[in-house]
Amino acid sequence: EAGVTQFPSHSVIEKGQTVTLRCDPISGHDNLYWYRRVMGKEIKFLLHFVKESKQDESGMPNNRFLAERTGGTYSTLKVQPAELEDSGVYFCASSPGQVLGPASWAQYFGPGTRLLVL
Amino acid sequence: AQTVTQSQPEMSVQEAETVTLSCTYDTSESDYYLFWYKQPPSRQMILVIRQEAYKQQNATENRFSVNFQKAAKSFSLKISDSQLGDAAMYFCAYRFKAAGNKLTFGGGTRVLVKP
């Protein structure tokens, strides 16, 4: 079974540019999450999709960040325009939906996209 | 707001020895889950072990075990018989059951294993 994949693995852009990160969850997982780790700080939750709907976007830092999950499959996270403080590692995770018990607890993480804004 | 604190930025352990990573959390809730995740260098984060707050028995997964002290809000991870493959960043995480699925993470502890 393929795991969570993220693209690109690294991205270096200049301040003011736009970057789009992509996440492909494990096939069949209804839940998709975005997290990020800014240098030297904790991993912070950004938002949670259930299928194509945003269940919780309380962690989105501001309106420069736009997340979508069209069709309930892969998701994109666009940063426009990027600022220096957006640099960090962006993680995507997925988990099964509608499964009760321990199987629904685990979130499966992707390798992350390392974003550097210069 | 819930917070998770890992007070040890880095820990070093000799191969085959035991190391304990500390984690404390702050919450007013009673029903929640706690997790330890491992992120090896340049690889993705994987779940090591999890604990339900209502269970008094400490979780164990092979060489990994936790010491869950609910009253003290402490959730330490013990790695026994350390192996070179245990070298990684370890993150403690909390999930409040009624607040959906989002995880709150600690800052991480880097574990170095000396051969």
Side-chain angles (χ1 to χ4, degrees):
Chain A
E1 177 182 86
V4 177
T5 58
Q6 293 186 244
F7 182 83
S9 58
H10 295 78
S11 181
V12 181
I13 61 172
E14 292 188 350
K15 175 182 173 181
Q17 289 186 322
T18 297
V19 64
T20 300
L21 313 180
R22 173 170 169 145
C23 168
D24 286 78
I26 293 173
S27 178
H29 280 192
D30 289 339
N31 295 288
L32 187 149
Y33 315 84
W34 283 99
Y35 295 85
R36 76 171 178 177
R37 187 180 190 203
V38 174
M39 183 68 70
K41 297 192 175 181
E42 295 86 1
I43 300 170
K44 293 283 192 183
F45 167 82
L46 295 178
L47 86 160
H48 169 206
F49 283 100
V50 177
K51 297 185 180 178
E52 66 273 12
S53 300
K54 291 176 184 174
Q55 180 77 11
D56 180 355
E57 51 184 330
S58 61
M60 294 289 264
N62 51 60
N63 58 11
R64 296 186 293 103
F65 290 75
L66 175 64
E68 296 180 323
R69 192 183 182 194
T70 307
T73 54
Y74 71 91
S75 174
T76 58
L77 179 64
K78 180 161 65 174
V79 185
Q80 180 183 26
E83 298 289 344
L84 299 178
E85 63 264 25
D86 300 332
S87 296
V89 182
Y90 289 75
F91 294 101
C92 175
S94 71
S95 69
Q98 306 306 318
V99 176
L100 301 178
S104 66
W105 297 357
Q107 293 185 17
Y108 299 86
F109 281 79
T113 292
R114 191 174 298 276
L115 174 65
L116 180 59
V117 182
L118 302 176
Chain B
Q2 290 81 20
T3 58
V4 179
T5 301
Q6 293 179 247
S7 60
Q8 306 149 317
E10 186 174 287
M11 294 287 283
S12 185
V13 61
Q14 202 71 37
E15 198 175 4
E17 297 295 311
T18 295
V19 63
T20 299
L21 312 184
S22 68
C23 172
T24 58
Y25 57 95
D26 183 19
T27 183
S28 58
E29 307 300 334
S30 60
D31 195 4
Y32 51 87
Y33 305 110
L34 295 163
F35 307 86
W36 279 98
Y37 278 87
K38 167 187 177 181
Q39 186 180 24
S42 302
R43 293 179 61 185
Q44 53 213 87
M45 205 151 39
I46 57 173
L47 179 66
V48 174
I49 199 166
R50 58 192 159 209
Q51 175 85 39
E52 293 172 275
Y54 69 86
K55 287 187 176 179
Q56 291 186 330
Q57 186 174 7
N58 289 323
T60 299
E61 287 288 341
N62 301 313
R63 296 182 296 106
F64 297 88
S65 61
V66 298
N67 183 5
F68 175 46
Q69 302 289 327
K70 190 171 183 179
K73 297 178 184 175
S74 171
F75 183 60
S76 61
L77 174 70
K78 184 170 78 171
I79 307 173
S80 303
D81 185 25
S82 297
Q83 300 175 1
L84 295 178
D86 295 333
M89 280 291 289
Y90 287 80
F91 295 96
C92 179
Y94 163 100
R95 179 185 142 206
F96 169 38
K97 193 173 182 180
N101 292 345
K102 67 180 178 185
L103 295 171
T104 300
F105 286 89
T109 296
R110 183 176 303 281
V111 172
L112 306 173
V113 182
K114 297 178 181 178

